[in-house]
């Protein structure tokens, strides 16, 4: 019988694209060979992390899988009232129009972006309505999350006044903390917690890696990445430019932490740091740029259940391929070559979004 391996998960935020992460988590839980010791996340990643923890505490791996499915179905149901959401009929008509449909879809996204950028949520959403909060309150038992010791949670939010990251852990988590982690300032009013105001955690930790450094149960950090670090070509339309700026912004903190890991690893390799004092973190990435890159800027707003299900299946497939390729590497070596990445020799991911093996 294969011995279980312990890992930590780091889950990126990205709106509706978080359904891809749902698929990855579902495949990990189904596989049964991995023990999840800790999970860090921001925005949609934080939601996945909290629902995973709650479901696992209630019913183990099967309970976590069921809870995640129920949650994403709940988000789709709540999204039916979203005035910016395309109906299934509109989506079908746009798809049938080929390039013309893509152009109209881009215009729809541009219109929404212009509206969001021209108004304040304090004016456009004075009651601060957020249906995601209702879903979290209904489906997640936060008392159970706070008491859970099987999976340690680290949920990131950005403190508005200081611009610094704040990481919340199991014992303090409520639906309000998760909403703080997912608070896009163009859409929702800042979330106030204990007198401080918070915006989306992705600005300063998407996802935060530092809480996982030196964690006693594992050296392996598996990042589930849904925001591409590299995107070929220079965007030309206003919508595409804004989307790329957002991708760069929300990846900046992750790149800083990966560079810090690479720096420490290099010093360890050179014998300039002592292994017993400085932990060697083994970084892995599950992603699929081939499937996710072509999605337009409006994809993060798409709350159609069919869209969620398609991302779920892509996530499961990506994770299955990653497990097949890299399960034996866990606990032994990193599968992302950070040195080559920052030296500009290769991108962070290999072909089809699969992590490259570290060079010997």
């Amino acid at each position: 019988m294969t011995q279980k391996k312990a890992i930590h998960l780091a889950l990126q935020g990205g709106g509706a694209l978080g359904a891809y992460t749902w698929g990855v988590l579902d495949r990990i839980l189904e596989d049964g060979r991995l023990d999840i010791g800790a999970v860090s996340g921001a925005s949609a990643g934080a939601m996945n992390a909290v629902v995973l923890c709650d479901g696992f505490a209630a019913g183990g791996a099967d309970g976590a899988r069921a809870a995640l499915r129920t949650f994403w179905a709940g988000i789709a149901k709540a999204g039916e009232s979203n005035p910016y959401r395309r109906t299934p009929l509109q989506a079908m008509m746009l798809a049938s129009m080929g390039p013309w449909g893509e152009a109209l879809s881009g215009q729809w996204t541009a219109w929404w972006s212009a509206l969001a950028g021209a108004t304040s949520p304090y004016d456009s959403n004075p009651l601060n309505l957020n249906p995601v909060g209702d879903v979290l309150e209904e489906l997640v038992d936060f008392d159970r999350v706070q008491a859970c010791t099987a999976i340690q949670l680290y949920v990131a939010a950005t403190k508005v006044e200081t611009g610094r990251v704040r990481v919340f852990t199991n014992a303090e988590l409520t639906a309000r903390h998760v909403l703080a982690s997912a608070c896009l300032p163009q859409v929702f009013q800042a979330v106030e917690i204990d007198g401080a105001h918070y915006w989306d955690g992705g600005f300063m930790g998407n996802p935060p890696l530092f809480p996982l450094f030196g964690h006693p149960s594992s050296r392996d950090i598996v990042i589930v990445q849904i925001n591409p670090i590299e995107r070929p070509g220079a965007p030309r339309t206003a919508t595409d430019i804004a989307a790329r700026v957002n991708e760069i912004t929300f990846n900046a903190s992750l790149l800083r932490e990966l560079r810090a890991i690479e720096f420490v690893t290099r010093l360890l390799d050179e014998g300039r740091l002592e292994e017993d004092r400085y932990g060697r973190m083994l970084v892995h990435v599950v992603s699929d740029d081939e499937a996710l890159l072509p999605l337009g800027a409006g994809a993060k707003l798409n709350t159609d259940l069919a869209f969620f299900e398609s991302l779920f299946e892509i996530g499961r497939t990506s994770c299955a391929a990653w497990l097949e390729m890299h399960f034996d590497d866990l606990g032994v070596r990193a599968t992302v070559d950070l040195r080559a990445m920052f030296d500009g020799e290769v991108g962070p991911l290999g072909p089809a979004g699969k992590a490259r093996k570290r060079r010997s």
Side-chain angles (χ1 to χ4, degrees), residues 62-341:
D62 289 341
R65 295 178 69 191
L68 284 162
R69 175 167 290 280
T70 301
F71 173 76
W72 283 98
I75 293 296
K77 182 68 175 176
E80 291 177 358
S81 60
N82 180 359
Y84 310 118
R85 171 182 177 269
R86 290 172 291 178
T87 67
L89 177 60
Q90 289 172 325
M92 181 179 68
M93 290 176 64
L94 290 170
S96 69
M97 295 172 67
W100 290 103
E102 292 180 10
L104 289 173
S105 176
Q107 291 177 9
W108 173 85
T109 303
W111 172 80
W112 184 91
S113 299
L115 180 63
T119 62
S120 162
Y122 294 88
D123 298 323
S124 60
N125 187 9
L127 298 180
N128 203 27
L129 301 177
N130 188 340
V132 174
D134 296 334
V135 176
L136 287 168
E137 291 281 10
E138 178 184 355
L139 299 181
V140 177
D141 184 336
F142 281 95
D143 288 337
R144 188 159 54 211
V145 170
Q146 292 172 10
C148 179
T149 57
I151 298 177
Q152 181 66 49
L153 296 179
Y154 301 100
V155 169
T158 301
K159 197 169 184 179
V160 177
E161 290 89 345
T162 65
R164 297 174 182 169
V165 67
R166 168 72 190 274
V167 175
F168 301 105
T169 58
N170 298 58
E172 55 195 327
L173 284 173
T174 66
R176 194 164 185 81
H177 293 82
V178 181
L179 289 178
S181 181
C183 180
L184 289 173
Q186 299 87 352
V187 183
F188 302 110
Q189 299 175 25
V191 177
E192 184 175 352
I193 299 174
D194 296 332
H197 296 86
Y198 294 93
W199 281 340
D200 196 294
F203 289 116
M204 296 306 296
N206 192 28
L209 302 185
F210 68 89
L212 306 176
F213 296 169
H215 212 280
S217 60
S218 178
R219 297 185 299 156
D220 292 279
I221 299 176
V222 180
I223 302 169
V224 182
Q225 184 179 352
I226 55 180
N227 294 289
I229 289 178
E230 295 186 2
R231 183 178 289 275
R236 300 180 66 86
T237 69
T239 300
D240 290 342
I241 290 170
R244 185 55 184 151
V245 168
N246 283 336
E247 287 176 345
I248 293 172
T249 300
F250 280 97
N251 277 324
S253 59
L254 173 62
L255 289 173
R256 284 195 296 270
E257 292 198 84
L258 289 176
R259 186 176 287 278
I261 293 174
E262 190 280 325
F263 178 68
V264 171
T265 300
R266 184 177 301 205
L267 294 180
L268 288 169
D269 289 343
E270 295 171 355
R272 296 165 66 184
L273 290 178
E274 300 175 12
E275 289 270 1
D276 58 347
R277 294 187 60 191
Y278 296 89
R280 182 187 295 270
M281 306 309 298
L282 307 179
V283 177
H284 317 272
V285 172
V286 180
S287 186
D288 194 337
D289 284 354
E290 185 175 358
L292 299 181
L293 271 175
L295 297 177
K300 293 183 178 182
L301 305 174
N302 188 348
T303 57
D304 293 335
L305 182 57
F307 181 60
F308 289 165
E309 292 282 4
S310 67
L311 288 173
F312 168 80
E313 292 299 337
I314 293 170
R316 279 184 54 85
T317 300
S318 298
C319 186
W322 182 84
L323 285 169
E324 177 68 23
M325 182 179 297
H326 293 306
F327 178 80
D328 291 339
D329 293 320
L330 292 171
V332 179
R333 62 181 64 84
T335 56
V336 176
D337 192 335
L338 295 178
R339 181 174 302 181
M341 170 183 166

